[in-house]
């Protein structure tokens, strides 16, 4: 065992439904735009261009049930409900037809976004990290293993704030289905067990404020609930 000059950080992880054992998180990849109606609401042409990715650090993950302090540097914190793919078997240049065998399970996540910083970054041609990859920016519900979920290609994906539904879509509307997302991501990076892929959000993104109760789910996969607390 190597010795360290100070104790290494705890391993980030996500709960696994029906299991005491947790899923050790390595990296978090996110698809930028993967539902046509959301692309349109963000002012983009939803034609089927290749998807683009951005990342969050693995330790941005937060369990369902958490109270997340309203983050710094923003006055426009947005929710994005997403289907999350948990990679169980790594690989490079994975064929879409082989992609399902690399999936450990699926979960429901929220890609929290400092929209004002993202808008500024887009305008200035700067990186998105400060908008997307901040502390506690990746809440993730318990992972349900594929023996229970199969590989969902359709099903309601929704998010409600204080009981009012704001996002209400269907996985069938994904521009790039999960298998293609895995294949494309694995061309850029060698995927590893423990990687999470947030697959994009349907239309209806909007602002959160301290005190908000946020719930969401994907039919057949699971649910998530967080609250936004005052700083
Ligand atoms: Mn997103």
């Amino acid at each position: 065992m190597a010795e360290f000059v100070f104790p290494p950080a705890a391993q980030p992880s996500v709960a696994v439904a029906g299991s005491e054992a947790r899923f050790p998180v390595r990296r978090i990849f996110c698809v930028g735009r993967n539902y046509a109606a959301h692309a349109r609401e963000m002012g983009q042409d939803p034609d089927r261009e290749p998807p683009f990715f951005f990342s969050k650090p693995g330790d941005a993950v937060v369990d369902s049930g958490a109270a997340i302090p309203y983050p710094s540097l923003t006055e426009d914190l947005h929710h994005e409900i997403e289907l999350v793919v948990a990679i169980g078997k790594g690989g490079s240049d994975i064929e879409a037809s082989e992609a399902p065998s690399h999936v450990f399970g699926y979960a429901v996540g929220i890609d929290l976004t400092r929209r004002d910083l993202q808008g500024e970054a887009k305008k200035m041609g700067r990186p998105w990290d400060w908008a997307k990859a901040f502390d506690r920016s990746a809440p993730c519900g318990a992972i349900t293993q594929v023996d229970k979920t199969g590989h969902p290609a359709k099903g309601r994906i929704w998010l409600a704030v204080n009981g009012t539904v704001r996002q209400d879509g269907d996985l069938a509307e994904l521009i790039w289905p999960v298998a293609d997302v895995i294949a494309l991501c694995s061309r850029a990076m060698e995927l590893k067990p423990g990687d999470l892929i947030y697959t994009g959000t349907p239309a209806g993104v909007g602002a959160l404020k301290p005190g908000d109760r946020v719930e969401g789910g994907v039919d057949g996969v699971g649910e998530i609930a967080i609250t936004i607390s005052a700083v």
Side-chain angles (χ1 to χ4, degrees):
M1 278 286 275
E3 286 191 21
F4 296 101
V5 294
F6 52 81
Q11 170 66 51
S13 64
V14 175
V16 176
S19 170
E20 291 293 306
R22 293 176 63 86
F23 180 89
V25 175
R26 191 164 186 276
R27 294 168 296 184
I28 301 173
F29 300 112
C30 306
V31 180
R33 207 172 276 140
N34 207 9
Y35 291 80
H38 174 61
R40 278 193 292 269
E41 79 179 347
M42 298 306 289
Q44 303 297 324
D45 180 351
D47 279 353
R48 204 166 184 262
E49 284 175 11
F52 64 90
F53 294 82
F54 59 89
S55 300
K56 296 177 187 254
D59 68 1
V61 84
V62 185
D63 278 327
S64 181
I68 297 176
Y70 195 91
S72 61
L73 297 185
T74 187
E75 291 175 1
D76 198 21
L77 175 70
H78 272 210
H79 55 77
E80 298 189 355
I81 191 77
E82 311 206 357
L83 174 71
V84 178
V85 183
I87 298 294
K89 189 177 92 182
S92 298
D93 298 321
I94 297 166
E95 296 290 340
S97 59
E98 287 298 311
S101 70
H102 292 259
V103 178
F104 173 83
Y106 295 90
V108 182
I110 302 173
D111 167 15
L112 288 175
T113 302
R114 297 193 279 209
R115 193 71 73 200
D116 40 3
L117 296 195
Q118 187 191 31
E120 212 171 286
K122 284 179 178 173
K123 204 160 49 191
M124 309 283 281
R126 288 179 179 162
W128 282 14
D129 304 49
W130 265 214
K132 289 290 198 178
F134 54 94
D135 296 340
R136 296 176 288 273
S137 59
C140 189
I143 296 167
T144 304
Q145 299 185 55
V146 287
D147 61 341
K148 299 273 193 323
T149 57
H151 296 281
K154 57 180 165 54
R156 185 181 182 222
I157 176 168
W158 62 274
L159 178 140
V161 179
N162 303 323
T164 303
V165 173
R166 288 194 184 173
Q167 293 190 267
D168 198 354
D170 195 289
L171 299 181
E173 299 158 14
L174 279 167
I175 298 171
W176 293 88
V178 167
D180 289 325
V181 166
I182 293 170
L184 290 161
C185 193
S186 77
R187 284 189 205 164
M189 308 280 180
E190 180 182 354
L191 290 177
K192 300 278 193 175
D195 289 339
L196 298 177
I197 305 176
Y198 283 56
T199 58
T201 197
V205 302
L208 295 171
K209 54 186 192 322
D212 280 347
R213 183 169 47 84
V214 185
E215 296 160 294
V218 175
D219 282 0
V221 171
E223 298 204 336
I224 188 169
I226 57 166
T227 54
I228 303 299
S229 59
V231 180

